[in-house]
């Protein structure tokens, strides 16, 4: 699927893509009902019910068919509508309207297909309309040249949610599991939920701040983190472009204080949900600046400056949630309503594609001698 221009309302294109998107999700959703032991996440199944997911699956199939009909009527390219209908038919043939939720036997190994489907569905229906209606970069296509790469990162990180969840908890358990933390954890869990939430957000963001800054100031680690900065099209999928080494180190460090202090389950779940949404938000292509709240929480404008292509502004805005942490350590930058002109890296030969980017950090990087890339920047002007 190659899109040269941004999609527009009234041409049947958006409805066609919507039909395909919902059709694919419904098709995959049927397999979650058929093989829940292998394709669903035990921890996540505690959040939703089988019956609610059955209703949602039925609604998604019907919605996909509806948008396919709209696209077929309005679009000159009938193939998008036919693709959407095809996935709907496959989902129905496989029993999409007659799935049967059942009890699930927990297996040692599983893929997070349910987590992938639900998170992709929710993030897409929330942020794609925002980016279409309130875009910051109006000329940036909805499906830019690297959208498949970013989608692949999204898919892999969600399908392997068990793997990343296990390995990122290990450092905390290894170094602090032997300590008697029961007293501290009981004290923390007995605090008011709002106080727990603020402290959990603050302490994890503080740990992530220094981990993030460490990645930017050490040449070998920057090889891995530079993958995240390689995108020149900031949008709701851009935040997913993160190398697995980067994920392991960053999430491990964020998990350390949460593990030591033992926040309540509800606090931890709210934290996870907030971070999942917020990480998508701050990378999104939207001009919304959130008014006064942009000085309290990290926003797209704030984080886009962190991704600025101009080396003059490197090393700014490392905090993920609270900008005041950057203020404390002298790395804050938010010039009123001004946005960076470009985002990405100065290295023009940065590899494209998921596999090449996964391998690239293990090879020699041109950033090894100059993390700020000041001389490189001057040569390109």
């Amino acid at each position: 699927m190659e899109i040269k221009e941004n999609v527009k309302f009234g041409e049947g294109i958006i409805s066609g893509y919507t039909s395909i998107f919902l059709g694919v999700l419904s098709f995959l959703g049927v397999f979650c009902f058929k093989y829940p032991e292998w394709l669903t996440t035990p921890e996540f199944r505690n959040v939703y019910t089988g019956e609610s997911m059955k209703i949602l699956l039925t609604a998604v199939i019907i919605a996909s068919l509806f948008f396919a009909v709209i696209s077929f009527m309005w679009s000159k390219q009938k193939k998008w509508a036919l693709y959407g209908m095809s996935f709907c038919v496959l989902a129905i043939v496989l029993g999409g309207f007659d799935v049967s939720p059942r009890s699930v036997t927990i297996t040692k190994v599983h893929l997070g297909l349910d987590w992938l489907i639900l998170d992709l569905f929710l993030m897409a229906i929330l942020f794609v309309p925002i980016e279409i209606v309130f875009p910051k970069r109006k000329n940036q296509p909805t499906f830019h040249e690297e959208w498949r790469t970013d989608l692949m990162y999204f898919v892999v990180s969600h399908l392997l949610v068990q793997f990343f969840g296990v390995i990122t908890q290990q450092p905390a358990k290894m170094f602090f599991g032997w300590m008697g933390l029961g007293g501290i954890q009981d004290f923390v869990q007995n605090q008011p939920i709002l106080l727990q939430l603020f402290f959990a957000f603050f302490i994890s963001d503080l740990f992530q701040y220094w981990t993030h800054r460490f990645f930017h100031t050490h040449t070998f680690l920057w090889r891995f983190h530079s993958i995240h900065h390689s995108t020149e099209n900031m949008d709701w999928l851009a935040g997913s472009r993160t190398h697995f080494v980067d994920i392991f180190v960053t999430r491990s460090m964020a998990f350390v204080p949460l593990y030591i202090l033992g926040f309540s389950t509800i606090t931890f779940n709210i934290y996870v949900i907030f971070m999942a949404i917020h990480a998508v938000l701050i990378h999104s292509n939207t001009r919304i600046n959130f008014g006064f709240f942009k000085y309290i929480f990290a926003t797209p404008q704030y984080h886009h400056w962190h991704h600025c292509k101009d080396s003059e502004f490197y090393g700014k805005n490392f905090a993920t949630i609270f900008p005041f942490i950057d203020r404390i350590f002298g790395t804050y930058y938010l010039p009123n309503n001004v946005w960076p002109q470009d985002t990405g890296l100065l290295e023009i030969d940065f590899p494209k594609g998921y596999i090449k980017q996964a391998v690239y950090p293990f090879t020699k990087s041109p950033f090894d001698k100059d993390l700020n890339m000041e001389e490189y920047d001057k040569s390109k002007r």
Side-chain angles (χ1 to χ4, degrees):
M1 185 185 296
E2 192 70 30
I3 310 300
K4 299 299 183 181
E5 300 179 354
N6 215 338
V7 294
K8 300 177 181 178
F9 290 106
E11 297 180 349
I13 298 177
I14 294 178
S15 56
Y17 296 152
T18 301
S19 175
I20 296 173
F21 174 70
L22 296 178
V24 171
L25 293 188
S26 61
F27 173 71
L28 296 175
V30 175
F31 287 95
C32 288
F33 280 94
K34 287 183 172 294
Y35 309 103
E37 291 86 359
W38 308 106
L39 299 178
T40 64
T41 311
E43 296 81 5
F44 201 45
R45 287 197 298 265
N46 295 326
V47 178
Y48 62 77
T49 64
E51 288 298 331
S52 63
M53 291 300 100
K54 180 179 179 179
I55 294 173
L56 179 60
L57 176 59
T58 301
V60 170
I61 293 175
I62 294 174
S64 180
L65 290 171
F66 171 78
F67 284 111
V69 172
I70 297 298
S71 178
F72 194 84
M73 294 172 58
W74 287 93
S75 178
K76 296 180 181 179
Q77 299 189 47
K78 308 300 182 183
K79 60 180 180 180
W80 306 128
L82 295 176
Y83 288 154
M85 289 182 181
S86 298
F87 280 108
C88 286
V89 170
L90 287 174
I92 295 172
V93 170
L94 290 173
F97 283 146
D98 193 33
V99 291
S100 178
R102 58 180 175 81
S103 59
V104 181
T105 301
I106 297 178
T107 57
K108 292 183 179 180
V109 179
H110 59 266
L111 295 176
L113 184 59
D114 58 339
W115 171 232
L116 167 63
I117 293 172
L118 288 171
D119 196 35
L120 185 59
F121 173 72
L122 293 174
M123 294 302 101
I125 64 174
L126 178 62
F127 287 101
V128 171
I130 289 177
E131 292 190 352
I132 292 177
V133 179
F134 305 106
K136 174 55 187 174
R137 294 178 173 84
K138 297 181 180 180
N139 294 327
Q140 177 176 302
T142 304
F143 296 97
H144 54 78
E145 62 180 357
E146 293 190 87
W147 74 272
R148 297 181 187 85
T149 298
D150 293 337
L151 180 60
M152 181 60 69
Y153 276 101
F154 189 97
V155 169
V156 171
S157 65
H158 283 70
L159 287 180
L160 299 183
V161 62
Q162 179 195 32
F163 171 74
F164 287 120
V166 170
I167 66 170
T168 54
Q169 294 178 31
Q170 292 311 307
K173 292 181 178 179
M174 181 184 302
F175 292 108
F176 304 101
W178 57 272
M179 300 174 62
L181 302 173
I184 296 177
Q185 294 176 352
D186 288 340
F187 173 78
V188 171
Q189 292 178 16
N190 288 328
Q191 301 306 307
I193 185 65
L194 291 179
L195 182 61
Q196 282 193 55
L197 284 172
F198 172 76
F199 193 51
F201 283 14
F202 169 71
I203 194 68
S204 64
D205 201 24
L206 185 62
F207 271 65
Q208 286 192 83
Y209 171 91
W210 282 108
T211 304
H212 192 180
R213 191 166 176 176
F214 201 70
F215 267 100
H216 276 257
T217 53
H218 290 75
T219 55
F220 184 71
L221 289 177
W222 173 246
R223 290 185 177 199
F224 299 97
H225 189 61
S226 64
I227 298 295
H228 179 64
H229 283 262
S230 66
T231 181
E232 297 184 352
N233 300 280
M234 295 290 283
D235 63 6
W236 68 282
L237 276 175
S240 299
R241 187 185 295 199
T242 307
H243 195 276
F244 61 85
V245 172
D246 193 349
I247 293 177
F248 168 69
V249 176
T250 303
R251 290 187 184 177
S252 294
M253 293 306 297
F255 189 82
V256 165
L258 299 179
Y259 176 82
I260 293 176
L261 298 174
F263 291 95
S264 64
T265 300
I266 186 173
T267 299
F268 184 78
N269 288 339
I270 292 175
Y271 170 81
V272 171
I273 294 173
F274 176 86
M275 291 303 297
I277 299 175
H278 188 254
V280 175
L281 170 65
I282 61 178
H283 292 90
S284 62
N285 177 34
T286 176
R287 63 179 180 269
I288 302 174
N289 63 16
F290 298 91
F292 175 76
F293 288 101
K294 71 178 182 179
Y295 301 109
I296 301 176
F297 297 103
T299 62
Q301 180 198 7
Y302 185 81
H303 196 66
H304 281 216
W305 275 110
H306 176 70
H307 282 261
C308 182
K309 200 171 188 177
D310 190 337
S311 63
E312 181 181 353
F313 302 103
Y314 282 5
K316 302 295 183 181
N317 302 352
F318 293 107
T320 304
I321 304 174
F322 297 120
F324 72 80
I325 294 180
D326 279 291
R327 283 186 177 275
I328 293 174
F329 298 109
T331 53
Y332 177 88
Y333 187 75
L334 191 64
N336 297 320
N337 293 323
V338 180
W339 291 66
Q341 183 175 355
D342 298 301
T343 57
L345 294 175
L346 291 166
E347 184 193 3
I348 58 175
D349 296 324
F350 202 91
K352 306 295 183 182
Y354 179 83
I355 300 298
K356 291 182 179 179
Q357 291 180 2
V359 175
Y360 178 73
F362 298 102
T363 64
K364 181 176 177 56
S365 168
F367 293 112
D368 283 355
K369 293 183 179 179
D370 183 9
L371 283 177
N372 291 325
M373 295 294 286
E374 293 177 354
E375 295 301 321
Y376 193 98
D377 191 4
K378 293 177 183 178
S379 70
K380 296 302 175 183
R381 293 179 176 178

Coordinates of all heavy atoms in Angstrom, one line a residue, residues 21 25 44 48 53 56 112-127 151 154-155 157-159 161 236-237 240 251 272-280:
F21 N -8.6 -2.4 7.8 CA -8.0 -2.4 9.1 C -8.9 -3.2 10.1 O -8.5 -4.1 10.8 CB -7.9 -0.9 9.6 CG -7.5 -0.8 11.1 CD1 -6.2 -1.2 11.5 CD2 -8.3 -0.4 12.0 CE1 -5.8 -1.1 12.8 CE2 -7.9 -0.3 13.4 CZ -6.7 -0.6 13.7
L25 N -8.3 -7.0 11.8 CA -8.4 -7.2 13.3 C -9.4 -8.3 13.6 O -9.2 -9.1 14.5 CB -8.7 -5.9 13.9 CG -7.6 -4.8 13.9 CD1 -8.0 -3.6 14.8 CD2 -6.3 -5.3 14.3
F44 N -3.7 -10.0 30.9 CA -4.7 -9.1 30.2 C -6.1 -9.7 30.2 O -7.1 -8.9 30.2 CB -4.2 -8.9 28.8 CG -4.7 -7.7 28.2 CD1 -4.8 -6.5 28.9 CD2 -5.2 -7.7 26.9 CE1 -5.2 -5.3 28.3 CE2 -5.7 -6.5 26.3 CZ -5.7 -5.3 27.0
Y48 N -10.5 -7.9 30.8 CA -11.7 -8.0 30.0 C -12.4 -9.4 30.1 O -11.8 -10.3 30.7 CB -11.4 -7.8 28.5 CG -10.4 -8.8 27.8 CD1 -10.9 -10.1 27.5 CD2 -9.1 -8.5 27.6 CE1 -10.0 -11.0 26.9 CE2 -8.3 -9.4 27.0 CZ -8.7 -10.6 26.7 OH -7.9 -11.6 26.1
M53 N -15.6 -9.3 24.7 CA -14.8 -9.4 23.5 C -15.6 -10.0 22.3 O -15.4 -9.6 21.1 CB -13.6 -10.2 23.7 CG -12.5 -9.6 24.6 SD -11.9 -8.0 24.0 CE -12.9 -6.8 25.0
L56 N -17.6 -7.2 21.0 CA -16.7 -6.3 20.3 C -16.4 -6.8 18.9 O -16.4 -6.1 17.9 CB -15.5 -6.0 21.1 CG -14.4 -5.1 20.4 CD1 -15.0 -3.7 20.2 CD2 -13.2 -4.9 21.3
G112 N 1.0 -12.4 22.6 CA 0.0 -11.4 23.0 C -0.8 -10.9 21.9 O -0.9 -9.6 21.7
L113 N -1.4 -11.8 21.1 CA -2.2 -11.3 20.0 C -3.4 -10.5 20.4 O -3.8 -9.5 19.8 CB -2.7 -12.5 19.1 CG -3.4 -12.2 17.9 CD1 -2.6 -11.3 16.9 CD2 -3.9 -13.5 17.2
D114 N -4.0 -10.9 21.6 CA -5.1 -10.1 22.1 C -4.7 -8.7 22.4 O -5.4 -7.7 22.1 CB -5.8 -10.8 23.2 CG -4.8 -11.0 24.4 OD1 -3.6 -11.0 24.2 OD2 -5.3 -11.2 25.5
W115 N -3.5 -8.5 23.1 CA -3.0 -7.2 23.4 C -2.7 -6.4 22.2 O -3.0 -5.2 22.1 CB -1.8 -7.4 24.3 CG -1.0 -6.2 24.6 CD1 0.4 -6.1 24.4 CD2 -1.4 -5.0 25.2 NE1 0.8 -4.8 24.8 CE2 -0.3 -4.1 25.3 CE3 -2.7 -4.5 25.6 CZ2 -0.4 -2.8 25.8 CZ3 -2.8 -3.2 26.1 CH2 -1.6 -2.4 26.2
L116 N -2.1 -7.1 21.2 CA -1.8 -6.4 19.9 C -3.1 -5.8 19.3 O -3.2 -4.7 18.9 CB -1.1 -7.3 19.0 CG -1.0 -6.9 17.5 CD1 -0.2 -5.6 17.4 CD2 -0.5 -8.0 16.6
I117 N -4.1 -6.7 19.2 CA -5.4 -6.3 18.5 C -6.1 -5.2 19.2 O -6.5 -4.2 18.6 CB -6.3 -7.5 18.4 CG1 -5.7 -8.6 17.4 CG2 -7.7 -7.1 17.9 CD1 -6.5 -9.9 17.4
L118 N -6.2 -5.3 20.5 CA -7.0 -4.3 21.3 C -6.2 -3.0 21.4 O -6.8 -1.9 21.2 CB -7.2 -4.8 22.7 CG -8.3 -5.9 22.8 CD1 -8.3 -6.5 24.2 CD2 -9.7 -5.4 22.4
D119 N -4.9 -3.0 21.6 CA -4.2 -1.7 21.7 C -4.1 -1.1 20.3 O -4.2 0.2 20.2 CB -2.8 -2.0 22.2 CG -2.1 -0.7 22.7 OD1 -2.8 0.1 23.2 OD2 -0.8 -0.6 22.5
L120 N -3.9 -1.8 19.3 CA -3.8 -1.2 17.9 C -5.2 -0.6 17.6 O -5.3 0.5 17.0 CB -3.5 -2.3 16.9 CG -3.3 -1.9 15.4 CD1 -2.2 -0.8 15.3 CD2 -2.9 -3.1 14.6
F121 N -6.3 -1.3 17.9 CA -7.6 -0.9 17.6 C -7.9 0.5 18.4 O -8.3 1.5 17.8 CB -8.6 -1.9 18.1 CG -10.1 -1.5 18.0 CD1 -10.7 -1.3 16.7 CD2 -10.8 -1.2 19.1 CE1 -12.0 -0.9 16.7 CE2 -12.1 -0.8 19.1 CZ -12.7 -0.7 17.8
L122 N -7.6 0.5 19.7 CA -7.9 1.7 20.5 C -7.0 2.9 20.1 O -7.5 4.0 20.0 CB -7.7 1.3 22.0 CG -8.7 0.3 22.5 CD1 -8.3 0.0 24.0 CD2 -10.1 0.9 22.5
M123 N -5.7 2.6 19.9 CA -4.8 3.7 19.5 C -5.2 4.3 18.1 O -5.1 5.5 17.9 CB -3.4 3.2 19.5 CG -2.8 2.9 20.9 SD -2.9 4.2 22.2 CE -4.4 3.7 23.1
A124 N -5.5 3.4 17.2 CA -5.8 3.9 15.8 C -7.1 4.7 15.8 O -7.1 5.8 15.2 CB -6.0 2.7 14.9
I125 N -8.2 4.2 16.5 CA -9.4 5.0 16.4 C -9.3 6.3 17.2 O -10.1 7.2 17.0 CB -10.6 4.1 16.9 CG1 -10.4 3.8 18.4 CG2 -10.8 2.9 16.1 CD1 -11.7 3.1 19.0
L126 N -8.3 6.4 18.1 CA -8.2 7.6 18.9 C -7.3 8.6 18.2 O -7.6 9.8 18.0 CB -7.6 7.3 20.3 CG -7.3 8.5 21.2 CD1 -8.6 9.2 21.5 CD2 -6.6 8.0 22.5
F127 N -6.1 8.1 17.6 CA -5.1 9.1 17.1 C -5.1 9.3 15.6 O -4.7 10.4 15.2 CB -3.7 8.6 17.6 CG -3.4 8.8 19.0 CD1 -3.5 7.7 19.9 CD2 -3.1 10.0 19.5 CE1 -3.3 7.9 21.3 CE2 -2.8 10.2 20.9 CZ -3.0 9.2 21.7
L151 N 5.0 0.0 12.0 CA 3.9 -1.0 12.4 C 4.5 -2.3 12.8 O 4.1 -3.0 13.7 CB 3.0 -1.2 11.2 CG 1.8 -2.2 11.4 CD1 0.9 -1.7 12.5 CD2 1.0 -2.4 10.1
F154 N 5.6 -2.1 16.3 CA 4.4 -2.2 17.1 C 4.0 -3.7 17.3 O 3.7 -4.1 18.4 CB 3.3 -1.4 16.5 CG 2.1 -1.2 17.4 CD1 1.9 0.0 18.1 CD2 1.1 -2.2 17.4 CE1 0.8 0.1 18.9 CE2 0.0 -2.0 18.2 CZ -0.2 -0.8 19.0
V155 N 3.9 -4.4 16.2 CA 3.5 -5.8 16.2 C 4.4 -6.7 17.0 O 3.9 -7.4 17.9 CB 3.4 -6.3 14.8 CG1 3.1 -7.8 14.8 CG2 2.2 -5.6 14.0
S157 N 6.6 -5.9 19.4 CA 6.6 -5.6 20.8 C 5.4 -6.1 21.6 O 5.4 -6.4 22.7 CB 6.8 -4.1 21.1 OG 5.7 -3.4 20.5
H158 N 4.3 -6.1 20.8 CA 3.0 -6.5 21.5 C 2.9 -8.1 21.5 O 2.5 -8.7 22.5 CB 1.8 -5.9 20.7 CG 1.6 -4.5 21.1 ND1 2.4 -3.5 20.7 CD2 0.6 -3.9 21.8 CE1 2.0 -2.3 21.2 NE2 0.9 -2.5 21.9
L159 N 3.3 -8.7 20.4 CA 3.2 -10.2 20.3 C 4.2 -10.8 21.4 O 3.9 -11.8 22.0 CB 3.6 -10.7 18.9 CG 2.5 -10.5 17.8 CD1 3.0 -11.0 16.5 CD2 1.2 -11.1 18.2
V161 N 5.0 -9.6 24.3 CA 4.8 -8.9 25.5 C 5.2 -9.8 26.7 O 5.7 -9.3 27.7 CB 3.3 -8.5 25.7 CG1 2.3 -9.7 25.7 CG2 3.1 -7.6 26.9
W236 N 1.7 8.7 15.4 CA 1.3 7.8 16.5 C 2.0 6.5 16.6 O 2.0 5.8 17.6 CB -0.2 7.6 16.5 CG -0.7 6.8 15.4 CD1 -0.9 7.2 14.1 CD2 -1.1 5.4 15.4 NE1 -1.4 6.2 13.3 CE2 -1.6 5.1 14.1 CE3 -1.2 4.5 16.4 CZ2 -2.0 3.8 13.8 CZ3 -1.7 3.2 16.1 CH2 -2.1 2.9 14.8
L237 N 2.6 6.1 15.5 CA 3.3 4.8 15.4 C 4.8 5.0 15.7 O 5.5 4.0 16.0 CB 3.1 4.1 14.1 CG 1.9 3.2 13.9 CD1 1.8 2.7 12.5 CD2 1.8 2.1 14.9
S240 N 6.8 3.5 18.6 CA 7.0 2.0 18.7 C 8.4 1.6 18.1 O 8.9 0.5 18.4 CB 5.9 1.3 17.9 OG 4.6 1.6 18.4
R251 N 13.0 -0.3 30.1 CA 11.9 -0.8 30.9 C 12.4 -1.4 32.2 O 11.7 -1.4 33.2 CB 11.1 -1.8 30.1 CG 10.3 -1.2 28.9 CD 9.4 -2.2 28.3 NE 8.7 -1.7 27.1 CZ 8.0 -2.4 26.3 NH1 7.8 -3.7 26.6 NH2 7.4 -1.8 25.3
V272 N 0.6 1.5 33.7 CA 0.9 0.9 32.4 C -0.1 1.4 31.3 O 0.4 1.7 30.2 CB 0.6 -0.7 32.5 CG1 0.7 -1.3 31.2 CG2 1.7 -1.3 33.4
I273 N -1.4 1.6 31.6 CA -2.3 2.1 30.7 C -2.0 3.6 30.3 O -2.0 3.9 29.1 CB -3.7 2.1 31.2 CG1 -4.2 0.6 31.4 CG2 -4.7 2.8 30.3 CD1 -5.5 0.4 32.1
F274 N -1.6 4.4 31.3 CA -1.3 5.8 31.0 C -0.1 5.8 30.1 O 0.0 6.6 29.1 CB -1.0 6.5 32.3 CG -0.5 7.9 32.1 CD1 -1.4 9.0 32.0 CD2 0.9 8.2 32.0 CE1 -0.9 10.3 31.8 CE2 1.3 9.5 31.9 CZ 0.4 10.5 31.7
M275 N 1.0 5.1 30.4 CA 2.2 5.1 29.6 C 2.0 4.6 28.1 O 2.5 5.1 27.2 CB 3.3 4.3 30.2 CG 3.8 4.8 31.5 SD 4.5 6.5 31.3 CE 5.9 6.2 30.2
A276 N 1.1 3.6 28.0 CA 0.8 3.1 26.7 C 0.1 4.2 25.8 O 0.5 4.3 24.6 CB -0.1 1.9 26.8
I277 N -0.8 5.0 26.4 CA -1.4 6.0 25.6 C -0.5 7.2 25.5 O -0.4 7.8 24.4 CB -2.8 6.4 26.4 CG1 -3.7 5.2 26.4 CG2 -3.4 7.6 25.6 CD1 -5.0 5.5 27.2
H278 N 0.1 7.6 26.6 CA 1.0 8.8 26.5 C 2.1 8.7 25.6 O 2.5 9.7 24.9 CB 1.5 9.1 28.0 CG 2.2 10.4 28.1 ND1 3.5 10.5 28.3 CD2 1.7 11.7 28.1 CE1 3.9 11.8 28.4 NE2 2.8 12.5 28.3
A279 N 2.8 7.5 25.5 CA 3.9 7.3 24.6 C 3.4 7.5 23.1 O 4.2 8.0 22.3 CB 4.5 5.9 24.8
V280 N 2.2 7.1 22.8 CA 1.7 7.3 21.5 C 1.4 8.8 21.3 O 1.7 9.4 20.2 CB 0.4 6.5 21.3 CG1 -0.2 6.8 19.9 CG2 0.7 5.0 21.4

